[in-house]
């Protein structure tokens, strides 16, 4: 996309470079004077296309990585630190302080989301607002968990006071496509449950953490949150090799997860919370409402240019309706507006990865060589920072686009005659996150639903795949996920049930009553948090 600087609204211009010259360790924003990496946007701010320099970030090394690890380990102190032993209400107060400060940075973060990853204005605002809502929802969910635990149970003459306790030190690595929201769906529940964290921002969307650094520093005790910048391999590898990480929290791809897991010397002690890749299909049945199916498939395949793990990445369309579906679908794709993120009505925006247009073109060329056609007029049209979505038909298993998670604007359409075909493909797939099912005959849908719920973790009836609402489970089978990330489930994923037990006798009763009356223990408490 080529645009002149004068066409950029004043509110969204890059007036000055953002040099992130510090990292957060042991409660201190430590100044960095070593190597830095320039951060570019693929959005051009001049008539002649040229990527826009946004700023710089530190390129920390192994020494700084291990410094951050030691800081987190000391703050946890084998479960004896201030943060893991703190009252629930006090941890909540820290989180409330953080989110109040975070809200003051909305404008800066939204602007950086647009420039760094090309997310349109509406979706960038939604990402910020949804993240704030997620934090408040997490606080409320934790309060409810604590309320439910504020009691003693008795069985077989034994009293038990059961709560959820932290797991230890967490390494948190988020994705570039939702560098704020999905990163925080790991970071926030990990923190509030009493764990300490080392957090490395994503490879893209790295600068947008800068406005929040002081909020992290001032809201939490020293060492609880540690933020480092640099290459994942350089920083994460020695951290994992130390054996001091208790939880690997990562949203990315399974190769990265497997590589990091393999570096840990005590794999049996490593907990994992992983959101990984997916190849979510849509299945369009003969009786589907095509108006609805086409609109939902447009949203499912091309929201944020298809750069979502929950995106629809392959469309199975019954042969009896495939001709009509293809014609109408391809026409709607071509009508989508491409432009810079802040432009009104823009649905397609510059791709943040410089190499992505060439990769998408490879998938298109491979499919065409193996018998598919680009059925929309604009499909494959390329500019300096974008390739227009190509609708490919008919796609077969011989094509790369059928097997690979494209994570970008190319849409494979596979015709089918027997419903067993997409079902068998899904059963053989390495992935199992979600599916979109379009149809209305309940006698047809019923057996399909009963099968699909055992192949994926969410069946979307007549709607595109998605993560939200955040109160619902977000997970996957096979290579798509490990652990569950919803507001409630994430709190469970980053904690473990732990309890104090005592035999029912007068001696123990007196001790328990004294603990409750004097409120000397942060763990043993029946206080009700409002």
């Amino acid at each position: 996309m080529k645009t002149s600087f004068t066409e950029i609204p004043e509110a969204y211009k890059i007036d000055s470079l953002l040099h992130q010259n510090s990292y957060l360790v042991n409660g201190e924003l430590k100044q960095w004077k070593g190597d830095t990496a320039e951060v570019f946007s693929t959005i051009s701010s001049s008539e002649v296309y040229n990527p826009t320099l946004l700023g710089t970030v530190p390129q920390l090394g192994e020494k700084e990585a291990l410094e951050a690890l030691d800081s987190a380990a000391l703050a946890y102190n084998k479960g004896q630190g201030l943060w893991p032993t703190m009252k629930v209400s006090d941890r909540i107060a820290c989180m409330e302080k953080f989110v109040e400060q975070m809200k003051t940075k909305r404008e800066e973060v939204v602007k950086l989301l647009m420039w760094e990853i090309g997310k349109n204005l509406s979706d960038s605002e939604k990402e910020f607002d949804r993240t704030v809502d997620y934090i408040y929802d997490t606080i409320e969910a934790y309060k409810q968990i604590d309320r439910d635990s504020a009691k003693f149970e008795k069985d077989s003459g034994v009293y038990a006071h059961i709560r959820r306790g932290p797991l230890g030190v967490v390494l948190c690595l988020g994705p570039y496509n939702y560098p704020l929201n999905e990163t925080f769906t790991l970071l926030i529940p990990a923190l509030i449950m009493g764990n300490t964290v080392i957090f490395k921002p994503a490879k893209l969307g790295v600068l947008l953490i800068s406005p929040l650094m002081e909020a992290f520093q001032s809201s939490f005790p020293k060492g609880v949150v540690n933020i480092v910048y640099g290459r994942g391999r350089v920083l994460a590898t020695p951290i994992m090799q130390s054996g001091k990480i208790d939880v690997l929290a990562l949203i990315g791809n399974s190769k990265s997860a497997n590589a990091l897991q393999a570096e840990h010397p005590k794999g049996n002690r490593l907990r994992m919370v992983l959101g990984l890749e997916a190849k979510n299909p849509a299945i369009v049945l003969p009786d589907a409402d095509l108006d609805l199916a086409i609109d939902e498939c447009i949203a499912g395949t091309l929201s944020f240019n298809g750069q979502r793990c929950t995106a629809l990445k392959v469309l199975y369309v019954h042969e009896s309706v495939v001709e009509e579906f293809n014609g109408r679908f391809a026409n709607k794709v071509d009508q989508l507006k491409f432009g810079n993120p802040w432009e009104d009505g823009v649905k397609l925006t510059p791709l943040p990865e410089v190499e992505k247009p060439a990769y998408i073109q490879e998938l298109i060329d491979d499919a065409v060589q193996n018998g598919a056609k680009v059925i929309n007029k604009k499909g494959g049209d390329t500019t300096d920072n974008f390739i227009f979505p190509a609708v490919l038909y008919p796609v077969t298993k011989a094509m790369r686009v059928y097997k690979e998670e494209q994570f970008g604007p190319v849409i494979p359409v596979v015709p089918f005659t027997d419903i067993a075909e997409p079902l068998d493909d899904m059963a053989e797939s390495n992935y199992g996150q979600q599916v979109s099912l379009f149809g209305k005959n309940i006698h047809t849908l019923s057996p399909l639903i009963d099968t699909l719920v055992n192949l994926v973790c969410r069946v979307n009836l007549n709607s595109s795949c998605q993560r939200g609402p955040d109160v619902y489970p977000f997970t996957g089978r096979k290579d798509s996920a490990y652990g569950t990330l919803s507001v409630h489930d994430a709190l469970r994923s980053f904690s473990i049930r732990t309890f104090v037990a005592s035999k029912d006798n007068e001696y123990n009763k007196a001790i328990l009553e004294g603990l409750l009356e004097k409120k000397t223990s942060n763990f043993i408490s029946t206080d009700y948090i409002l």
Side-chain angles (χ1 to χ4, degrees), residues 158-194:
V158 176
Y159 281 109
H161 189 57
I162 308 170
R163 291 186 175 276
R164 299 202 70 87
L167 296 169
V169 180
V170 179
L171 176 61
C172 179
L173 305 169
Y176 82 80
N177 59 332
Y178 287 88
L180 184 73
N181 182 258
E182 290 211 340
T183 300
F184 277 37
T185 62
L186 301 174
L187 186 63
I188 298 305
L191 284 172
I192 205 168
M193 292 308 296

Side-chain angles (χ1 to χ4, degrees), residues 1 3-6 8 14 42-53 115 340:
M1 177 65 185
T3 183
S4 67
F5 190 76
T6 56
I8 300 172
I14 298 298
T42 60
I43 298 170
S44 179
S45 58
S46 60
E47 288 289 355
V48 178
Y49 179 78
N50 197 32
T52 301
L53 178 63
W115 278 97
N340 279 329

Side-chain angles (χ1 to χ4, degrees), residues 431-453:
Y431 310 116
Q433 189 194 76
Q434 300 186 29
V435 64
S436 290
L437 179 61
F438 296 95
K440 61 186 175 186
N441 186 318
I442 61 170
H443 299 293
T444 304
L445 292 173
S446 296
L448 280 178
I449 291 170
D450 292 349
T451 297
L452 289 169
V453 292

Side-chain angles (χ1 to χ4, degrees), residues 114 119-127 341:
M114 289 191 291
K119 186 165 287 188
N120 70 32
L121 175 59
S122 174
D123 285 348
S124 294
E125 290 173 336
K126 285 177 187 173
E127 177 162 352

Side-chain angles (χ1 to χ4, degrees), residues 290-411:
L290 286 190
D291 290 331
L292 174 63
I294 289 167
D295 284 346
E296 290 291 328
C297 286
I298 290 285
T301 55
L302 292 175
S303 290
F304 192 39
N305 302 318
Q307 299 166 122
R308 302 179 301 121
C309 65
T310 56
L312 289 173
K313 299 194 177 82
V314 59
L315 308 181
Y316 288 93
V317 185
H318 193 271
E319 64 170 4
S320 64
V321 294
V322 71
E323 186 175 345
E324 182 182 358
F325 178 92
N326 281 349
R328 293 170 60 186
F329 183 79
N331 183 56
K332 280 216 164 189
V333 170
D334 278 348
Q335 290 176 29
L336 296 174
K337 181 180 177 181
F338 169 65
N340 279 329
W342 43 80
E343 293 179 31
D344 290 339
V346 162
K347 298 297 183 184
L348 305 171
T349 53
L351 297 167
E353 294 177 287
V354 174
E355 68 277 7
K356 183 58 69 75
Y359 167 69
I360 296 297
Q361 188 63 56
E362 284 180 19
L363 296 182
I364 295 170
D365 292 344
D366 173 79
V368 170
Q369 288 167 13
N370 284 283
K373 292 182 178 178
V374 178
I375 63 172
N376 60 316
K377 293 178 182 177
K378 294 183 181 179
D381 288 354
T382 305
T383 64
D384 293 296
N385 55 11
F386 189 68
I387 182 167
F388 200 90
V391 185
L392 298 172
Y393 177 83
V395 167
T396 68
K397 295 181 183 179
M399 301 170 189
R400 286 176 59 189
V401 75
Y402 171 83
K403 303 170 218 173
E404 297 176 24
E405 186 198 29
Q406 63 268 40
F407 219 74
V410 61
I411 306 159

